[in-house]
Amino acid sequence: MTSIGGASSGMVDWNLAVATATRLVRPGPEVSRDEARAVVAELRRHAKASEGHVRGFTRMGTEDIHDTPVLVVDRPGWIRANVAGFREILKPLLDKMEERRGGGAGGAVLGALGGKVTGVELGMLLSFLSSRVLGQYETFAPATRELPAGANGGGRLLLVAPNIVHVERELDVDPHDFRLWVCLHEETHRTQFSAVPWLRDHLEGEIQSFLAETDVDPMTFLERIREAAQSLAGGRPEGEEDDGGRSLVELVQSPSQREILARLTAVMSLLEGHADFVMDGVGPEVVPTVAEIREKFQQRRAKGASRLDSALRKLLGLDAKLKQYKDGERFVRSVVDEVGMDGFNRVWTSPNTLPTKAEIAKPADWVARVHRKTES
């Protein structure tokens, strides 16, 4: 196994997290070697074709904007990539927590043993998530020998082949159309960050501001991870009935972070909703069965899963992510209907033209603020 960025942090044994997740991850759907090669090749072709489709529909970027690789991975590959990304973005928070634990009563508990326990529990969560993600644009991905990333801090686009095959079979849809449909969504994210140079730094700044304001006791942080991991073993997350199943992010936030979290939620709603809007907008021309795919996919989202799965989704904030797709797509569609695609694209002008959380719910307010201000 390849080490993730050298020695493990005392707070989290990252290499153990990778090893645990890889060992526990469910096997993908049964495919022959030739079938697997064909799926990988087709996903790469669709990812390349999606660049032109997305660029033409969104009117964003040019042919030479992409410096980020497209990687078709299996579930262990997704796990390794995400551990590297988590380690990068969480480093300031974990360093601060490492300092806090130093001479405290819990210092001994949060030593090497604590890091290994956390590594195992984080690995359990990653194994759960690794079978559910179809694709992902990794914005803050550090480059490794196995997993290259774009130059100058650029990210990478991951397509998780076994998950795509699993879902297309489960939905009983045309596999070639479904693969292109997924690529259109993920390529939109790649285009967002490639065509809007300030977006990555802005998002990273917001995340780091949120983490810098985090004043959570190390034992509390580990307990939250433990609650989520215990859900996988059938335990009830602590406080589930009392707090409605708050996510990990909500559990660690302080009052001073609410404003930052509201801005982050608005940005993520915009990015996810825009990708859904583009995926469906391009779809009818290049994906013949897009209406069937969308209907079946929405039914799959709405059906939910077992009580255990639902509890874990709440704790990880995945239910909030599904809401972001709906709210964000409604915002984009409303704005495009009112002011056209070029009018909508003013959203990418600067951080000041991004919608607020309130404007995501009331798109007319964003149009009034941004368009009337620039036209007056």
Side-chain angles (χ1 to χ4, degrees):
M1 182 191 71
T2 303
S3 176
I4 303 295
S8 296
S9 162
M11 289 296 301
V12 180
D13 189 329
W14 297 104
N15 292 331
L16 184 57
V18 172
T20 301
T22 303
R23 186 176 70 251
L24 295 177
V25 69
R26 297 186 225 172
E30 289 188 18
V31 293
S32 68
R33 185 169 297 180
D34 287 344
E35 286 176 310
R37 286 198 190 103
V39 171
V40 171
E42 183 173 20
L43 285 172
R44 286 177 176 150
R45 288 196 305 273
H46 283 333
K48 183 64 179 174
S50 294
E51 291 181 22
H53 295 317
V54 170
R55 199 166 52 241
F57 183 80
T58 63
R59 303 176 195 171
M60 293 175 66
T62 60
E63 288 188 18
D64 59 355
I65 62 170
H66 289 309
D67 72 339
T68 55
V70 176
L71 306 178
V72 182
V73 298
D74 57 10
R75 290 169 179 174
W78 180 89
I79 288 166
R80 288 192 294 271
N82 276 265
V83 167
F86 287 156
R87 182 168 189 162
E88 184 82 3
I89 201 71
L90 290 176
K91 187 176 186 303
L93 173 63
L94 293 178
D95 285 348
K96 184 167 74 171
M97 291 170 63
E98 184 83 15
E99 292 175 8
R100 283 195 57 181
R101 81 175 193 183
V109 177
L110 291 170
L113 178 59
K116 290 188 182 303
V117 170
T118 310
V120 168
E121 292 169 339
L122 182 60
M124 292 171 67
L125 297 181
L126 287 167
S127 69
F128 170 84
L129 293 172
S130 67
S131 63
R132 285 158 170 75
V133 177
L134 301 181
Q136 173 184 356
Y137 183 79
E138 279 203 296
T139 316
F140 311 108
T144 67
R145 185 171 57 186
E146 290 181 332
L147 295 162
N152 303 317
R156 57 182 166 232
L157 179 59
L158 305 179
L159 297 169
V160 191
N163 296 351
I164 293 172
V165 172
H166 171 77
V167 173
E168 71 192 27
R169 290 180 178 179
E170 179 184 319
L171 297 182
D172 190 25
V173 292
D174 182 282
H176 310 294
D177 283 4
F178 184 75
R179 293 165 196 174
L180 177 54
W181 190 70
V182 170
C183 287
L184 288 169
H185 181 101
E186 302 307 333
E187 177 57 37
T188 303
H189 288 316
R190 187 165 172 245
T191 296
Q192 290 163 347
F193 285 93
S194 299
V196 186
W198 55 264
L199 184 58
R200 178 190 183 277
D201 289 343
H202 172 71
L203 194 58
E204 182 176 21
E206 292 281 58
I207 292 171
Q208 292 304 338
S209 295
F210 182 89
L211 295 177
E213 291 290 325
T214 298
D215 186 25
V216 61
D217 178 76
M219 289 298 289
T220 302
F221 179 79
L222 297 187
E223 183 59 31
R224 297 313 180 195
I225 294 178
R226 187 165 295 115
E227 288 171 10
Q230 286 172 348
S231 294
L232 294 173
R236 180 189 301 273
E238 180 183 350
E240 180 190 352
E241 292 184 341
D242 296 331
D243 62 24
R246 291 180 297 168
S247 72
L248 287 172
V249 170
E250 292 171 317
L251 286 165
V252 301
Q253 73 169 307
S254 63
S256 63
Q257 293 172 295
R258 296 186 189 280
E259 189 176 329
I260 301 172
L261 189 60
R263 291 197 302 267
L264 277 171
T265 299
V267 173
M268 297 313 297
S269 296
L270 171 69
L271 298 180
E272 295 294 356
H274 185 232
D276 263 12
F277 177 78
V278 172
M279 180 169 60
D280 289 344
V282 175
E285 292 186 11
V286 298
V287 182
T289 60
V290 65
E292 178 192 0
I293 290 172
R294 166 55 81 185
E295 181 181 359
K296 289 185 175 180
F297 197 77
Q298 293 285 45
Q299 289 173 353
R300 182 178 184 269
R301 277 181 179 172
K303 264 195 296 188
S306 66
R307 182 187 179 283
L308 170 60
D309 189 60
S310 298
L312 190 58
R313 290 177 69 87
K314 284 183 180 179
L315 196 56
L316 294 176
L318 299 182
D319 283 348
K321 185 174 177 66
L322 293 180
K323 189 173 186 296
Q324 287 171 8
Y325 284 108
K326 295 176 184 176
D327 293 348
E329 197 272 343
R330 191 181 303 115
F331 170 84
V332 176
R333 186 173 301 281
S334 297
V335 172
V336 172
D337 284 347
E338 186 166 347
V339 296
M341 185 64 74
D342 290 335
F344 165 78
N345 280 341
R346 289 191 186 180
V347 79
W348 312 116
T349 305
S350 75
N352 292 329
T353 55
L354 290 171
T356 64
K357 190 175 180 182
E359 288 170 341
I360 288 287
K362 294 184 177 180
D365 290 353
W366 179 87
V367 172
R369 176 173 68 87
V370 172
H371 282 264
R372 290 177 190 168
K373 183 177 180 180
T374 56
E375 290 165 4
S376 59

